[in-house]
Amino acid sequence: MKLNWNKRKKSEAASKIFRSGVYSAAVTALVLVLVILLNLIVRAIPSRYTEWDLSEAGLYTLSDNSIEVVKNLTQDVKIYYLAETGNEDVILSKLLDHYAAESSHLSWELKDPALYPTFATQYGATDVTNGSLILVCGENSTVLDAADLYEEDYSNYSLTGTSNVTFDGENKITSAIYRLTSGEEHHAYYTTNHGEQTLTDTLTSALENQNLTLTGLDMLSDSIPEDCDLLVINNPVQDFASAGALVDEMSDLRSYLSRGGKLLITTDSYNRTPNLDALLAEFGLSRTEGLVVEGDSSHYMNGYPTYLLPDYASAVESGVLDNVDKNRGVLLQMAQGIALTETEDVISEALLTTSAEAYSKTAGYEMTTLTQEDGDPDGPFTLAAYARNENTEAEVIWIDCGNMDNEGIYQVLPGNVTFLQACATTLAFEEGTTLIESKALEAAPLEVSNSTSVALGLTFVIVLPAAVLAAGAVVVLLRRRK
């Protein structure tokens, strides 16, 4: 009997072990299935809900402008990313994922040039480099070269001796999508035959990226076209002809403004243009005699007080500065001040201003010293101004510096082209533009004071280790007493 009882106990124990094993295996299998299902569900969720952009500049996050452009798509846009498989730019591929997540009308595909060597040629791209993008919408296409997606920013070179690489891909991609799908072109004309400074390739490209076509205009032979959304006068050497001349250019210019025209003008104090000055005076804008000299060393460059680094004003009427990164400085060489005078039916405001330490050398280019003398007026001065006639809705932006649009300056301070682009697009478009700032790849260094550094050092090297040792000693003593 005892033997049978032992056998029965062993059998029951074995049965319990078996049941326990089966239960554990079933639970393990269920957990594995749930983990796999959870992983599949998470993978199916768009990355914008499962990934967080922790980069300081928001490299992997689309701006509101980009989201609006993509969400409003009614046509299919395909983006081909030309890159070697496995060597894709993470920033770019992640950004393309975000574009695709915003609209079913947009998708992207990787095309390895090694596997598809002739793919780009069907879109007229014969010499594109790895990392370039081809955007296709119906029969239309455009190519964004890899080199144009990044740019060098020398804004702080004079202080640090180094430059920063910034990512301009979002601006280029969104602008290209807008150009391909908007169907509406805006027209800007720039005047010629007055010795005007030719618009730089950089500025021309920046404006064309905003779907703004640029065409030269000789007002001695042609009147301002009806489709002119913006007229640009870039640092004329000669004045515009008025009544009594063979062609009355000023009459045509006033007629254009009377029907709500938009004017972007840059001038140099060296060139005398009394007819244009009279037109600007109708908007309450006039020149301050002389050339501006900055007295605050933080507001001029490389020890040259006439190389001005102005402040952005608190402009609210124009909207020009809404899309401008105000951390990006602009440089105005040999600039003249602008006086704003209260004028009936006209609203005006400053866009760029000097510090209060600035003064104007009335001798201008004939000055023999940079020191302020009797008769040299004190600042601050307005260097760029906006004005609007409330009756006609005509708008004017005047920058009293003939060297604002300059390729050499753009290599030092990209803020110049950004500012000019904002001025032009704000005037030309009644609605918001696709202007998007480039984003710094490097995070700004974290600055810690000496006292804070010492306090942190003591905390992590002495205080916290001592606290851990003390807690351990207490635990050991309590266990020994038990």
Side-chain angles (χ1 to χ4, degrees):
M1 292 294 293
K2 186 174 181 181
L3 183 62
N4 290 336
W5 184 83
N6 288 335
K7 286 183 177 180
R8 190 165 55 251
K9 293 292 288 182
K10 289 181 179 179
S11 177
E12 289 176 356
S15 177
K16 287 182 179 180
I17 292 173
F18 176 76
R19 289 197 301 272
S20 177
V22 170
Y23 177 76
S24 298
V27 170
T28 302
L30 179 61
V31 170
L32 287 175
V33 170
L34 290 176
V35 169
I36 293 172
L37 287 176
L38 180 61
N39 186 51
L40 292 174
I41 292 172
V42 170
R43 287 172 65 88
I45 299 174
S47 59
R48 56 179 168 165
Y49 299 118
T50 59
E51 297 178 354
W52 288 268
D53 186 355
L54 300 180
S55 61
E56 184 181 30
L59 290 171
Y60 309 100
T61 303
L62 293 180
S63 68
D64 292 339
N65 272 344
S66 292
I67 292 173
E68 182 179 358
V69 168
V70 176
K71 281 187 176 295
N72 289 334
L73 286 177
T74 58
Q75 309 169 65
D76 290 338
V77 175
K78 183 80 171 186
I79 302 177
Y80 295 102
Y81 180 22
L82 308 180
E84 182 182 348
T85 304
N87 288 325
E88 304 93 337
D89 184 333
V90 175
I91 296 175
L92 198 53
S93 58
K94 288 289 185 183
L95 198 64
L96 291 174
D97 283 339
H98 283 291
Y99 274 103
E102 294 294 342
S103 173
S104 60
H105 286 289
L106 191 146
S107 60
W108 75 279
E109 181 181 343
L110 181 70
K111 285 290 184 181
D112 190 333
L115 301 177
Y116 304 93
T118 63
F119 176 79
T121 57
Q122 64 183 299
Y123 300 104
T126 57
D127 57 353
V128 292
T129 56
N130 275 3
S132 300
L133 301 173
I134 299 176
L135 290 83
V136 181
C137 178
E139 298 297 321
N140 299 320
S141 64
T142 187
V143 179
L144 300 179
D145 192 83
D148 295 331
L149 302 179
Y150 291 86
E151 62 180 26
E152 288 281 324
D153 182 357
Y154 290 85
S155 301
N156 296 317
Y157 188 84
S158 61
L159 299 176
T160 64
T162 59
S163 62
N164 297 321
V165 179
T166 61
F167 178 66
D168 199 33
E170 185 190 349
N171 178 30
K172 293 294 194 299
I173 294 170
T174 300
S175 297
I177 294 171
Y178 181 73
R179 290 198 309 275
L180 283 174
T181 61
S182 66
E184 181 184 3
E185 287 187 342
H186 295 268
H187 302 276
Y189 292 85
Y190 55 91
T191 61
T192 61
N193 268 351
H194 305 88
E196 290 93 340
Q197 181 175 305
T198 303
L199 298 179
T200 61
D201 291 340
T202 298
L203 180 60
T204 299
S205 176
L207 297 182
E208 288 176 346
N209 281 341
Q210 304 300 315
N211 214 28
L212 190 62
T213 61
L214 291 162
T215 307
L217 174 64
D218 182 356
M219 292 181 62
L220 293 175
S221 58
D222 296 303
S223 58
I224 301 174
E226 290 294 328
D227 67 353
C228 180
D229 297 299
L230 172 67
L231 183 67
V232 179
I233 302 176
N234 191 29
N235 190 23
V237 175
Q238 290 92 34
D239 202 3
F240 281 51
S242 59
L246 186 62
V247 177
D248 189 350
E249 296 174 294
M250 292 304 302
S251 177
D252 189 21
L253 191 50
R254 283 190 169 88
S255 176
Y256 167 69
L257 292 172
S258 69
R259 56 180 188 266
K262 318 298 180 184
L263 175 64
L264 173 60
I265 180 171
T266 69
T267 58
D268 192 307
S269 66
Y270 187 80
N271 304 314
R272 300 299 176 182
T273 54
N275 291 335
L276 284 176
D277 289 0
L279 175 68
L280 294 169
E282 295 170 13
F283 287 84
L285 307 176
S286 60
R287 299 174 187 259
T288 299
E289 187 179 0
L291 283 173
V292 174
V293 176
E294 183 58 73
D296 182 350
S297 61
S298 65
H299 282 77
Y300 61 80
M301 178 172 279
N302 297 335
Y304 294 95
T306 55
Y307 284 25
L308 311 177
L309 299 173
D311 293 320
Y312 290 101
S314 301
V316 294
E317 290 292 335
S318 63
V320 171
L321 304 181
D322 291 350
N323 288 321
V324 173
D325 181 1
K326 298 177 182 61
N327 292 319
R328 272 191 169 189
V330 298
L331 173 64
L332 279 70
Q333 297 176 336
M334 312 300 285
Q336 189 174 27
I338 300 173
L340 279 62
T341 305
E342 186 174 339
T343 304
E344 185 178 1
D345 299 325
V346 170
I347 293 176
S348 62
E349 63 183 1
L351 299 177
L352 298 174
T353 61
T354 68
S355 77
E357 303 301 317
Y359 50 91
S360 183
K361 294 293 297 181
T362 55
Y365 282 98
E366 304 299 323
M367 73 176 82
T368 58
T369 177
L370 290 174
T371 304
Q372 186 175 15
E373 301 174 296
D374 291 340
D376 293 339
D378 293 319
F381 300 101
T382 295
L383 302 176
Y386 164 87
R388 180 180 75 248
N389 186 303
E390 293 188 285
N391 290 331
T392 64
E393 292 301 319
E395 294 178 289
V396 172
I397 291 179
W398 182 17
I399 305 167
D400 205 356
C401 174
N403 205 29
M404 184 74 174
D405 177 29
N406 183 287
E407 292 286 9
I409 292 178
Y410 296 151
Q411 297 301 316
V412 179
L413 290 173
N416 271 39
V417 71
T418 302
F419 178 73
L420 288 171
Q421 184 184 31
C423 290
T425 54
T426 302
L427 291 175
F429 301 115
E430 293 182 2
E431 299 179 356
T433 71
T434 60
L435 182 62
I436 299 164
E437 286 295 326
S438 58
K439 300 174 181 180
L441 297 180
E442 300 90 354
L446 179 64
E447 296 183 359
V448 180
S449 65
N450 289 334
S451 58
T452 303
S453 177
V454 171
L456 290 173
L458 290 173
T459 300
F460 287 102
V461 176
I462 298 177
V463 176
L464 288 180
V468 172
L469 289 174
V474 171
V475 171
V476 170
L477 292 174
L478 291 176
R479 286 180 177 177
R480 287 181 176 179
R481 290 180 179 180
K482 290 182 179 179

